[in-house]
Amino acid sequence: MATRALAAEQSVLEESLSRWMKARRERLIETISDLVRIPSENTPPVGAEGECQRYVHDRLAGYELETEMYELTEVPGFTEHPVYRPGRDYGNRPNVSAVWRGSGGGRSLLLSGHIDTVPRGSAEWSRDPFMPTVEGNRLYGLGSNDMKGGIGAFLFAVEALKEAGVKLRGDLLLETIVDEEFGGVNGTLAARLHGRNADAAIICEPSQMMICPAQTGGRTAHITLRAQTAGILSEGEPQARVTDQLHHFLGRVGAFAERRRKVAPIHALYSDSNDPVPAWVTKINCGGWGMKEPITLPTTCQVEFYWQAMPGETREAIESEFFAWLEEVVAEQPALFACKPEVSFPIRWLPGSALEGEPALITELSGTFEGLTGAPPQIRGIGGPCDLYVFHQHFETPAILFGPRGGNTHAPDEWVEIDSALLTAETLARFICRWCEVEW
């Protein structure tokens, strides 16, 4: 009878939370809009997250949580940790952390998100990237999907629980970290070393409402092609042109991608993916542009090349495979490559990672989602690298990604789906009560 009565109380609470949140949908929109309106671009080696972090800090402090902002470089052991990447400036780039202390006896949970966004960039937006625009079920703005929509959702979930007078038994921890974009990782590392750890963690990345226990790895290479060109008027045999090198290189990218699909050990969480280990050319730069530049042949061309890896693949194996392919590309047309292509790696190696088995975090979050929606969530790996591996591989914390749907991520007119942000918040509010347990 006691169990039945407890289940009835839980059901009443969950329904009450959902009604409250649906009735205050505009409050969620306002929260995400506030975050978008405050620029927090990451432009390595510096970033501009400070003002947005102060907003989050004040919001969490307003819920009467133990809240702090702290400098990454003041965390003991930060710069000595093997995951730490030097060369970043963390002036006015604090992490934010908050704790809702439970009464004891329940499990602890961490909700995490990165506050930094990619830069606005030079591509045209049809809307102001820092003026949140709501059109139908979409909210447009830089970082709206990656990942201020997810942060707004967990802030809204905590607000709902506080308004309902919920008392938790286990601790609920919340954080927003800096410097995730461009393979940063240092923000998450500092947070873990700072001691803000829990029995499980949910990173509210834009997972398209999937539960993602895995991430792919990622490697980014900058390849510089060079040719000795003497202008458009020259005598004798024509010299190899850098544009011919580029043409040949681009024609061989498909072969590299096909090789990756054949040799990469495809993890079960990616078995339904059409392209689990993509390889893309993401930028090409062959000199100046416009009428202030002479019409001539470029002597250098820079290519940004990005490819992904499965959980379990190592940096050494990935790079060996890449360099073997690049040598083949050059060997096929040696007359084109009087100068050997130069390669550098501007972003750290980000390994793939997966939470194996069926831990309670996944089964219980799945049950919460299904109880709310009537359908089970899709459980699969996310198609890109993030900070998830730091939890799995360096701090032995069960962690998954779970967040709203959206689109145009890292591109003009980025958007988050409002209904899915609300569903994320409702799911989190219910799950917090179940995981941490409520003191009735």
Side-chain angles (χ1 to χ4, degrees):
M1 291 294 291
T3 302
R4 186 178 301 172
L6 188 62
E9 287 189 53
Q10 177 177 294
S11 178
V12 169
L13 173 60
E14 290 179 346
E15 291 299 326
S16 175
L17 288 169
S18 287
R19 286 195 300 272
W20 187 94
M21 297 170 92
K22 286 182 171 67
R24 290 161 179 79
R25 185 174 184 268
E26 290 301 318
R27 174 62 170 164
L28 173 60
I29 294 172
E30 175 188 316
T31 299
I32 300 172
S33 296
D34 285 347
L35 294 169
V36 169
R37 199 174 285 114
I38 307 171
S40 55
E41 295 166 286
N42 190 344
T43 54
V46 299
E49 299 101 326
E51 184 179 352
C52 206
Q53 287 289 63
R54 280 185 283 277
Y55 171 90
V56 174
H57 173 274
D58 293 347
R59 185 73 175 264
L60 291 169
Y63 301 147
E64 299 182 343
L65 307 182
E66 299 174 20
T67 309
E68 65 171 329
M69 288 197 298
Y70 60 92
E71 300 298 325
L72 275 62
T73 53
E74 295 177 359
V75 175
F78 175 55
T79 57
E80 294 79 24
H81 196 279
V83 171
Y84 169 75
R85 176 172 183 173
R88 302 290 175 101
D89 182 346
Y90 290 110
N92 194 29
R93 304 177 71 186
N95 275 355
V96 173
S97 149
V99 182
W100 180 346
R101 297 286 179 191
S103 61
R107 294 168 293 183
S108 58
L109 178 68
L110 168 68
L111 302 181
S112 179
H114 66 85
I115 202 68
D116 62 315
T117 72
V118 295
R120 181 212 183 281
S122 58
E124 285 290 328
W125 283 61
S126 66
R127 304 161 180 85
D128 186 331
F130 302 111
M131 184 60 65
T133 305
V134 175
E135 297 177 9
N137 192 27
R138 294 181 178 184
L139 189 155
Y140 291 87
L142 180 61
S144 57
N145 189 46
D146 186 20
M147 58 171 293
K148 293 181 176 182
I151 291 172
F154 76 60
L155 291 174
F156 188 57
V158 172
E159 184 170 315
L161 294 173
K162 282 292 186 178
E163 287 289 331
V166 168
K167 299 185 183 301
L168 300 176
R169 296 182 63 197
D171 291 347
L172 177 65
L173 293 78
L174 305 111
E175 68 182 20
T176 50
I177 60 96
V178 300
D179 194 27
E180 188 270 354
E181 300 292 358
F182 299 102
V185 174
N186 284 347
T188 291
L189 172 64
R192 307 285 67 75
L193 294 172
H194 192 55
R196 298 307 195 189
N197 298 300
D199 294 323
I202 299 175
I203 306 173
C204 296
E205 288 274 14
S207 69
Q208 308 296 328
M209 299 307 304
M210 299 184 295
I211 293 176
C212 297
Q215 64 166 77
T216 53
R219 198 59 169 140
T220 302
H222 281 181
I223 303 162
T224 301
L225 307 175
R226 299 187 186 278
Q228 298 174 347
T229 305
I232 62 171
L233 298 177
S234 60
E235 297 180 356
E237 291 294 322
Q239 298 180 358
R241 295 183 292 266
V242 78
T243 49
D244 295 329
Q245 294 181 19
L246 177 64
H247 179 266
H248 178 63
F249 176 89
L250 294 177
R252 300 296 291 145
V253 168
F256 180 81
E258 182 62 29
R259 182 181 301 182
R260 290 289 301 137
R261 285 190 287 270
K262 289 179 179 178
V263 304
I266 306 304
H267 191 279
L269 288 166
Y270 294 90
S271 60
D272 63 345
S273 174
N274 293 327
D275 192 6
V277 283
W280 303 319
V281 170
T282 50
K283 294 187 184 78
I284 298 175
N285 177 25
C286 286
W289 184 264
M291 300 310 292
K292 291 186 178 181
E293 295 288 337
I295 297 175
T296 190
L297 301 177
T299 58
T300 62
C301 182
Q302 295 170 300
V303 179
E304 185 175 85
F305 189 51
Y306 168 76
W307 70 105
Q308 294 185 0
M310 282 286 101
E313 293 192 279
T314 66
R315 179 180 64 83
E316 292 77 13
I318 287 293
E319 290 182 8
S320 176
E321 187 178 32
F322 165 73
F323 280 114
W325 166 77
L326 186 60
E327 287 181 7
E328 291 175 9
V329 171
V330 173
E332 288 170 349
Q333 293 285 343
L336 287 181
F337 295 94
C339 299
K340 187 177 180 180
E342 300 168 9
V343 178
S344 63
F345 297 104
I347 296 174
R348 74 165 80 218
W349 156 249
L350 295 168
S353 187
L355 182 61
E356 304 293 352
E358 295 184 6
L361 174 62
I362 295 175
T363 57
E364 294 183 33
L365 182 59
S366 297
T368 302
F369 183 90
E370 185 170 2
L372 180 59
T373 65
Q378 186 177 5
I379 301 174
R380 67 184 308 276
I382 201 165
C386 62
D387 286 1
L388 187 63
Y389 81 93
V390 178
F391 290 87
H392 292 170
Q393 299 179 10
H394 296 278
F395 293 90
E396 298 181 347
T397 301
I400 56 93
L401 311 177
F402 177 70
R405 297 186 189 93
N408 291 351
T409 308
H410 291 197
D413 296 326
E414 179 181 358
W415 57 272
V416 65
E417 183 187 81
I418 297 168
D419 286 350
S420 70
L422 180 60
L423 178 55
T424 299
E426 291 185 65
T427 304
L428 290 174
R430 290 190 178 196
F431 182 70
I432 290 166
C433 293
R434 295 185 182 192
W435 182 267
C436 299
E437 299 182 34
V438 173
E439 189 178 86
W440 301 101

